[in-house]
Amino acid sequence: MVALAGADLELRAGEFLTLLGPSGSGKTTLLMIVAGLIQPDGGEVSIDGRLATYAPPFKRDVGMVFQNYALFPHLSVGENIAFPLRMRRVPEATIQQEVRRILEVVRLPDVGGRLPRALSGGQQQRIALARCMVYKPSIILMDEPLGALDKKLRDQMQLEIKQLHAELRITVLYVTHDQEEAMIMSDRICLMRDGHIEQIGTPDELYFQPRTRFAAEFLGESNVLVCEVVGVEASRVVVTTAGVRLRAPQDARLRDARRVALMVRPERLAIQDAPTAGPGPEPHNRLEGHLRQVIRVSGITKYYVGLDSGQMIVASTLTGDAKTVATPGARVGLTWPPDAGILLPETARTER
Amino acid sequence: MSRAGVAVEGVTGAPRGPSGWWKGWPLLPALAFLLLLFVYPVGQLLWLSVVDRSGALTGQHFARLFASSLYVDVLLITLKISAWATAFALLGGYPVAYLLATSDARWRSRLTFWVLLPFWTSFLVRAFAWMVLLGRNGALNKLLEATGLTNAPVAVIFNLTGVLIGMTHALMPLGILTMVAVMEHIDANLPKAAATLGARGGQTFWRIYFPLSLPGVAAAGLLVFISAVGFFIIPALLGGRRETMITQIIIEQVQDLMNWAFAGAISVLLLVTALVVFYLYDRALGMSTLASGTPALDRRGGGRENLISRLSAWAGGRLIAILGWLCDRAAEVTERLVPARPDRPARPWARGVLVIASLLILAFLAVPAFFMVPVSFTTSGFIDWPPQGFSLKWYRAYLESPQWMAATVRSVGVGVVSATLAMLIGVPAAFALARREFAGKTGALALILSPLVIPRMIIAVALFYLYARIGLVGTSLGLVLGHAVLAIPFVVVTVMAVLKNYDERLDQAASSLGANRARTLYHVTLPLIRGGLVAAFLFAFVTSFDELTIALFVTGGLTTTLPKQMWDDALLKVSPVLAAVSTVLIVFVAVTISLAERLRQGAARA
């Protein structure tokens, strides 16, 4: 079985890079290989410029935060944090000083004498982080560290970790399957799928310029229409889906493609109950269908529209702007400016 | 339209607080049974030790116990042998337990078989095996002479060496299984975390893994030591006069001298010894570590603070730091000699050493029994190595002997009946203990488990005294009742463990779907815990089938059981018939374990 097929990845010092992907995509395997807890069948790992492919974990100068924190249950919080320093034979006085300092940093100055299980989940999480940061490793690896926390605490910890990262300028390799978490925390996201890297880039790049249908569908919500290419007109690609002509920006990769996938984010779609043409210098794309359902998710209202082809499309607006009075069953139009669409390879799988 | 009415009126099952004792009614048969056949007779035996013939209180029996140094010496020898055997069993058992706990599921179940095989093989069979191996003309001496290492036979039997080899061998499987139970619960991420934090293998093991496994080591030490103190088969068959242990003295007093009162006094001595050991254990480590099976070292975080625990914690901490340091220096030196290369996979040599050591220890556990097999086919009239020729005459002798056959049939019969009885009494008790809250629950559990703690010899002598007065000596009924006393705690513990892992919501689902209590039990609960019930039954059956202590007193002549017949034969002369019978038993045990394992795996898959 191949857990990782080909994955070249370079981390810059001080960067927060997230390995994002569904379970089984190889992200944890990749992390374990960097930590030295799994030996790769091939390839190379360099840390801080030094080759470390098969170096034992204790020689790598990495820090790792495990999903269940892996705090040593028989050692006090202070001893847990002192552990990496003792392993490096740091003088006792320095150890005490460093432990106190790092406990201040994670804002838990008084828990040094307690056992880990006497702390709450969020506190244990911070101690796990402190234990990694205290010896200033060249990289900190985090394996879904917030997976065990409830939503509210998770939101809070995301910001805290992000803040610590900014303050201390640590290099972080982070693993999660939660795209929102990845978007919130990362400098760059490495989207993984079936043991290879699907796309790597900043959160903005992944959101606004996904390179594949998988990337488009994994990050954020998306509407994907499979289209036939008709031709190029005024630097726009003209495509048809179910007999409707649509226009989209050009993409050099797809110059010769006959069939493409047109992706539009829901928030770029405008819903109109009266069938009128869109304003602006360039005619907007337009699709028609029946409104099936309206759902309010606090600040956002989502409209599910069944196209005549049978496909379901979702459009979203800010709830405050939701002026539409259309009720489910009504015929509505969906419009978007041509440059809001993105053309992607039609196949669900990437050509490799 | 009808509305679903929710009348909250004493919500059953919701926040469960202790309530009336009557909720524990399923325990009544078990409690009554144990009061009648365990508490009463044992109490009576202990009472005998402090009264004279007229029934007045007296200290004469204890005065005699301490009048000469004879009995105190026997006690000291017992403690010394037990301590050494415990130390060896733990030392040898630890690497095997570690390997089992850190192997993947497939290897673990393969290796566990080789621990379970000796675990379930009768002490008698294993003692015979060592007689074959260690005797003057045994396999070991023949090997030593053949290789020219010695000229004359080495004395490794009928002395301390023989007893220690036999007892270490007898007790190590129990130690391994107890330690594995704790080690399995150690989070596999912890050693990994230590490694990423910069700890080498040695530091990781000594500072992290070892302290977390200590509760298992301590529990194993306690169980092994308490078992060792009650041993008589191994010292009798492999030891000399100077290795006489305390239970042998009790047997002598009862069987040869019929001195009940003095046997009672020695029993008190044995019991007090056991209780002192339990007390010290509790002071040092806390009894909770025994039951919970999870590492609970409250050294700093409040909990138990006393001089013994603090001292042992401090000394332990120092020792661990030193051991870790030593291991690392050794690793560093090796590394300097053979530099590790980051561009090549490292060789896991430490794991290799562990595997080899563990396999050798497993061989020590499993192989001796197999020396019985060739011996059982010998044509010679006595046990000798190497066996001569090939014949089935000893099997024929076994099968044609009415005495052996009667013993075998009786053992199987008594085993089935007493296991059934123990199940009928124990399973309801286990259900009540696992699922209900009621006043006196802790006390009830303690009483039900106490036959495991009280040395078996005391129970046996007490039952003998009781049976002698009500005419149950020499009857199968007496044997069945006695074996049920021993088997009930095993049944209760096994079934409770199964119920602990049982998702009670399944029962709630069944009852919400319209099944009444009986149908829920019959259609949902019982099918799901069937594997555990079968295991409990097998446990109870083997306990009885292998039982010698009670059988020693309450059987005889035509009512003998298989272990008793083997014991009598072994004391008279060790003939190849014993080897034949032992071979049959080993095959029987191996098949039973494989069956049980298959059942367990089948249950896990479902």
Side-chain angles (χ1 to χ4, degrees), chain B residues 455-471:
Chain B
R456 198 175 276 191
M457 181 57 69
I458 297 178
I459 304 175
V461 175
L463 281 177
F464 187 24
Y465 185 69
L466 177 72
Y467 287 177
R469 284 172 301 149
I470 57 176

Side-chain angles (χ1 to χ4, degrees), chain A residues 177-237:
Chain A
H177 64 266
D178 181 344
Q179 47 106 3
E180 238 175 83
E181 190 166 292
M183 297 283 275
I184 292 169
M185 303 184 72
S186 323
D187 295 330
R188 283 197 300 159
I189 294 174
C190 170
L191 182 63
M192 297 195 64
R193 176 191 182 199
D194 295 338
H196 70 267
I197 295 174
E198 186 86 358
Q199 186 172 353
I200 182 163
T202 63
D204 279 6
E205 279 169 358
L206 262 79
Y207 190 77
F208 294 114
Q209 294 148 38
R211 308 279 291 160
T212 62
R213 280 182 67 172
F214 177 79
E217 282 164 356
F218 199 83
L219 271 98
E221 276 188 285
S222 58
N223 297 300
V224 176
L225 300 156
V226 176
C227 306
E228 307 287 337
V229 177
V230 176
V232 179
E233 228 173 64
S235 77
R236 295 289 189 219
V237 181

Side-chain angles (χ1 to χ4, degrees), chain B residues 323-606:
Chain B
L323 285 169
W325 187 85
L326 279 176
C327 281
D328 279 10
R329 290 303 78 74
E332 271 171 28
V333 169
T334 349
E335 224 162 79
R336 208 155 296 162
L337 297 173
V338 192
R341 293 188 38 185
D343 56 343
R344 268 191 211 160
R347 287 198 189 79
W349 58 267
R351 188 83 186 168
V353 171
L354 173 72
V355 169
I356 291 168
S358 300
L359 291 182
L360 286 175
I361 294 164
L362 284 177
F364 164 76
L365 286 182
V367 169
F370 290 101
F371 277 83
M372 303 294 279
V373 181
V375 172
S376 68
F377 294 108
T378 187
T379 51
S380 143
F382 48 95
I383 286 182
D384 205 354
W385 194 266
Q388 289 150 19
F390 179 88
S391 85
L392 292 171
K393 68 176 179 179
W394 301 111
Y395 286 92
R396 198 175 308 128
Y398 164 57
L399 291 171
E400 284 173 358
S401 151
Q403 184 119 10
W404 278 108
M405 277 300 106
T408 309
V409 169
R410 180 171 301 266
S411 272
V412 173
V414 167
V416 169
V417 177
S418 65
T420 310
L421 182 63
M423 290 291 280
L424 289 176
I425 294 173
V427 173
F431 265 87
L433 286 168
R435 294 198 167 174
R436 297 183 177 203
E437 290 301 329
F438 48 87
K441 182 171 159 175
T442 320
L445 183 63
L447 173 61
I448 285 178
L449 296 188
S450 52
L452 288 180
V453 178
I454 309 288
R456 198 175 276 191
M457 181 57 69
I458 297 178
I459 304 175
V461 175
L463 281 177
F464 187 24
Y465 185 69
L466 177 72
Y467 287 177
R469 284 172 301 149
I470 57 176
L472 279 180
V473 173
T475 64
S476 295
L477 178 63
L479 215 49
V480 165
L481 294 176
H483 286 178
V485 169
L486 300 180
I488 284 171
F490 285 121
V491 170
V492 170
V493 168
T494 313
V495 176
M496 273 178 78
V498 173
L499 287 176
K500 210 174 175 180
N501 293 325
Y502 180 82
D503 187 352
E504 235 176 299
R505 283 171 301 185
L506 295 173
D507 284 6
Q508 291 164 356
S511 68
S512 77
L513 294 169
N516 62 23
R517 281 235 187 146
R519 293 179 70 109
T520 302
L521 190 69
Y522 183 75
H523 289 295
V524 179
T525 318
L526 291 184
L528 283 170
I529 64 167
R530 190 170 47 203
L533 293 180
V534 171
F537 181 86
L538 286 179
F539 220 141
F541 175 79
V542 174
T543 303
S544 161
F545 191 72
D546 193 27
E547 208 286 326
L548 176 60
T549 322
I550 293 177
L552 202 57
F553 299 123
V554 304
T555 65
L558 285 173
T559 67
T560 189
T561 63
L562 200 51
K564 177 69 176 353
Q565 179 67 30
M566 290 169 81
W567 170 254
D568 289 343
D569 234 43
L571 291 185
L572 221 61
K573 78 173 175 55
V574 181
S575 78
V577 177
L578 278 173
V581 178
S582 298
T583 306
V584 171
L585 285 181
I586 292 167
V587 172
F588 173 73
V589 168
V591 170
T592 309
I593 298 172
S594 308
L595 272 181
E597 180 65 12
R598 197 157 302 169
L599 269 174
R600 198 183 61 80
Q601 283 176 349
R605 264 200 301 277

Side-chain angles (χ1 to χ4, degrees), chain A residues 53-96:
Chain A
T53 314
Y54 297 105
F58 56 83
K59 280 194 176 167
R60 293 192 175 212
D61 194 29
V62 297
M64 179 141 174
V65 178
F66 290 78
Q67 182 166 17
N68 63 353
Y69 319 134
L71 296 175
F72 305 129
H74 61 303
L75 299 180
S76 69
V77 167
E79 276 305 307
N80 261 283
I81 297 174
F83 187 86
L85 300 175
R86 290 200 196 290
M87 291 305 110
R88 287 165 175 73
R89 276 174 254 159
V90 173
E92 187 63 30
T94 321
I95 290 180
Q96 296 310 328

Side-chain angles (χ1 to χ4, degrees), chain A residues 137-148:
Chain A
S138 48
I139 178 170
I140 291 184
L141 313 170
M142 300 194 199
D143 184 12
E144 308 225 6
L146 306 180

